Amino acid sequence: MSDAFVQTVCPITTDDIPNLTVGTLSLADITDASTSTGPLPPSPAFPGGGSYDIQGSHPLTIDGGIDVPTTELGSGNGEMGEGGTSIEVPIVLGGANSWSLGPYVSISVSGVTGSYPLVVSGDNDPLIAMAAPVEVGPVTISDTDVLAGQFGPSVTPGDLNGVDGQPVTLDDSVLSAYATVGPLTMNGGVLSLGGFTNVAGFGMPLSADSVNLSASTEVSAELEPAGAAPQLESAGVVNLASAELALSDPCEAPGTVTTLVQAQGGLVGTFTDADGNPITNGEIIEPVYPCTTGVADPIEINYTANAVTATLESPPPSPPAPAPPSPAPPSPAPSTPAVTVPPAISPVLVAPAISLLGALRPESEGVAVTLKCTAKTGSACEVTGKLTSTETRTDAALLSAAGAKAHQKRHAIVDGSATTTIPAGAIATVTVALDSTARKLLASLHKLPATLTVSLSSGGTSSTVFTHTITLAGHRKNVKR
C-alpha cells in the first residue's frame, strides 16, 4: 500500500498482511495521489493535514527505523485535535533501528520487541508514549519526552527492557514512568517521579535494575500520603551523582514521611539543591512548589545505606507578640485619687482563609482539588480555581502547549475555571474542568503542562492563595473515519 493512498484517503491504515517487513517507515507530508507532488490541499475533513493511525492484526517488522518529521502543512504529528501519530500494531525490530522525531511530534507505540538496538532522536522535545512493553536491545533516547506506562481511568504499569535487562540511556530527555526498566542511565534531563497516580492518589513507582544519574539531571518528586510506595526503587545500586532534587508539597500533614529512593544494592552520593549545593543528611530544605504561596513548610532529607526519605516538618512557630509596656505610675494628687482606665479591647476578626488538603488529583478532563475554609462562624470562602497554560503559535498555526522559542509567539490561555462558595469550617472538592479547546489540545499532544491557581475573594478583592504546576495526561480515543 503506497503512502499516497494512505495519506490522501485517510491517515488511518490497516496492516492485515502477515510477515510484513519495511525498511524505514516514513510518516511525512500528506500528498495528492493524483499527482504525487506537493502537499494535500486543505479540506473540510483535514484542514491542515492529519496524523497517522496504523492498525491491524499482525506485527510489523521494521529493519531500519521510523522517520516522523514535522512540516508546516500536514505531518506525522497532525493538527490540533488529530491526536498525534499512533502505531497500534506490535513492532518487531528486524535490525538496528533509528527513530527520528521532529518538533512537536506526539507518537504512541503498542509494544516493541526484538534483540536489536533502538535509538530515538528528538528535535525540540517531541513525545513518545510507551503504554505496552518495549523489550529490545540497548535503548538510547535523546531530546525526547518519554511516558512509560498507561494513563487513564485504569493506570497500568509499562515495561522498558525490564525483563531482558538491556540498558536504557536517556540524554537530555524527560522520563515519567510507572514501569519496570532495565539499567537506567540519565545524562541531564528530568526524572519525574510520582506522575502516575492510582485511585487513592498515591504516586506509582518507577522500578529499575540500577540507576545512574548525573549532576545535570533534575529529579522531580512530590511528597506522598502515608503508606505510599517508594517513588524510585531498584534491586541494584542507585547513584545519585549530585542530581538536583526538586520537591513539591501538596499540603500533607506534618510528620508525613515519603520514601523517595529505595535501593537494595546500596545508595551512592547525595542530591543537591537548585544552586548546586549538596543536601546533607538531616538537612532542612524548602519545597520548590510549596503548599501555599508564601508558606514553604520545611522538609528534612535523610539518607541511609539504602534509602532517601523526605519528612514534612511543622512550620516554625510565629514569634510571640511583644509585651505591652507597663503603664506609667499616676502622678500623686493629694485630693483626688488616681483612676486607672483599662485599655479598650479590639474585637477579633477572623479573615477567611483557604488550605489545600491532600494532592491535586488529575481527572480525565481536568483537575480536582480538596479545600478547607477557615473563617468566622456564619461566613464563607468564595474560591476560584483556574487552569492556565502557554501555547506557542507560528503564523497563526498552533504548534505546542509547552515552551516557546525566540522566533515564535507565546500566548497565555485559560484552559478552564470553576468558582464555588465553601461555608466556614467546611471541606469541599472543587473540580476545574478543561474547556473544549483545552480538551482538543490534550487529545492532540497527549499531555498538557498547566498551572492551577486558586484565589480567594473577600471584600470585593481577590487574592491568590496558591499556585501549583501539573501535567495533565490524556488517552487517545480510537476514532474511525
Side-chain angles (χ1 to χ4, degrees), residues 53-124:
D53 190 348
I54 301 177
Q55 306 172 358
S57 56
H58 296 283
L60 175 64
T61 299
I62 301 178
D63 289 340
I66 298 175
D67 184 22
V68 190
T70 300
T71 55
E72 186 172 342
L73 178 62
S75 69
N77 183 42
E79 297 296 314
M80 183 178 69
E82 288 299 323
T85 292
S86 179
I87 302 177
E88 299 181 23
V89 296
I91 296 174
V92 178
L93 303 186
N97 263 233
S98 178
W99 296 6
S100 176
L101 309 180
Y104 315 109
V105 162
S106 173
I107 182 172
S108 61
V109 293
S110 296
V112 186
T113 57
S115 59
Y116 294 98
L118 172 61
V119 176
V120 180
S121 301
D123 179 11
N124 207 351

Side-chain angles (χ1 to χ4, degrees), residues 132-146:
V134 175
E135 286 289 337
V136 294
V139 173
T140 303
I141 302 174
S142 61
D143 299 302
T144 301
D145 292 353
V146 181

Side-chain angles (χ1 to χ4, degrees), residues 89-446:
V89 296
I91 296 174
V92 178
L93 303 186
N97 263 233
S98 178
W99 296 6
S100 176
L101 309 180
Y104 315 109
V105 162
S106 173
I107 182 172
S108 61
V109 293
S110 296
V112 186
T113 57
S115 59
Y116 294 98
L118 172 61
V119 176
V120 180
S121 301
D123 179 11
N124 207 351
D125 298 325
L127 169 69
I128 182 168
M130 302 174 174
V134 175
E135 286 289 337
V136 294
V139 173
T140 303
I141 302 174
S142 61
D143 299 302
T144 301
D145 292 353
V146 181
L147 293 178
Q150 177 64 57
F151 276 110
S154 109
V155 180
T156 54
D159 172 16
L160 182 55
N161 282 354
V163 176
D164 64 21
Q166 289 293 317
V168 177
T169 302
L170 275 76
D171 297 324
D172 296 320
S173 298
V174 177
L175 175 62
S176 179
Y178 166 37
T180 55
V181 182
L184 175 64
T185 298
M186 292 199 66
N187 301 310
V190 178
L191 178 59
S192 179
L193 302 176
F196 290 71
T197 57
N198 60 14
V199 292
F202 290 171
M204 305 305 289
L206 166 64
S207 178
D209 289 349
S210 62
V211 180
N212 278 287
L213 305 178
S214 69
S216 56
T217 302
E218 176 186 312
V219 176
S220 174
E222 186 173 276
L223 300 184
E224 295 284 352
Q231 294 195 6
L232 173 62
E233 52 189 12
S234 174
V237 175
V238 174
N239 182 9
L240 302 179
S242 300
E244 178 186 342
L245 178 62
L247 291 181
S248 299
D249 172 19
C251 295
E252 298 297 338
T256 299
V257 179
T258 300
T259 300
L260 303 176
V261 181
Q262 183 73 52
Q264 297 181 23
L267 190 70
V268 178
T270 61
F271 285 118
T272 60
D273 60 20
D275 297 323
N277 301 314
I279 301 175
T280 58
N281 187 43
E283 184 170 342
I284 302 295
I285 65 172
E286 291 186 352
V288 175
Y289 302 106
C291 168
T292 305
T293 300
V295 178
D297 293 340
I299 301 173
E300 181 178 331
I301 303 299
N302 287 282
Y303 305 89
T304 67
N306 301 93
V308 183
T309 59
T311 303
L312 185 63
E313 302 292 324
S314 298
S318 302
S326 302
S331 302
S335 59
T336 304
V339 177
T340 301
V341 179
I345 300 176
S346 301
V348 177
L349 301 178
V350 179
I354 283 292
S355 56
L356 173 66
L357 302 181
L360 303 185
R361 299 184 299 283
E363 306 286 353
S364 59
E365 294 183 342
V367 176
V369 58
T370 301
L371 304 172
K372 180 179 180 180
C373 172
T374 302
K376 184 179 179 180
T377 302
S379 61
C381 299
E382 184 178 346
V383 181
T384 298
K386 182 184 294 184
L387 276 172
T388 58
S389 62
T390 302
E391 69 177 11
T392 305
R393 291 180 181 268
T394 299
D395 296 333
L398 180 64
L399 296 178
S400 174
K405 300 301 176 184
H407 62 283
Q408 301 162 355
K409 296 181 180 179
R410 172 178 285 183
H411 302 269
I413 56 175
V414 177
D415 300 319
S417 64
T419 300
T420 188
T421 300
I422 306 175
I427 297 174
T429 296
V430 180
T431 299
V432 183
L434 296 176
D435 61 21
S436 59
T437 301
R439 289 196 299 271
K440 290 179 181 179
L441 189 59
L442 178 59
S444 173
L445 301 178
H446 294 289

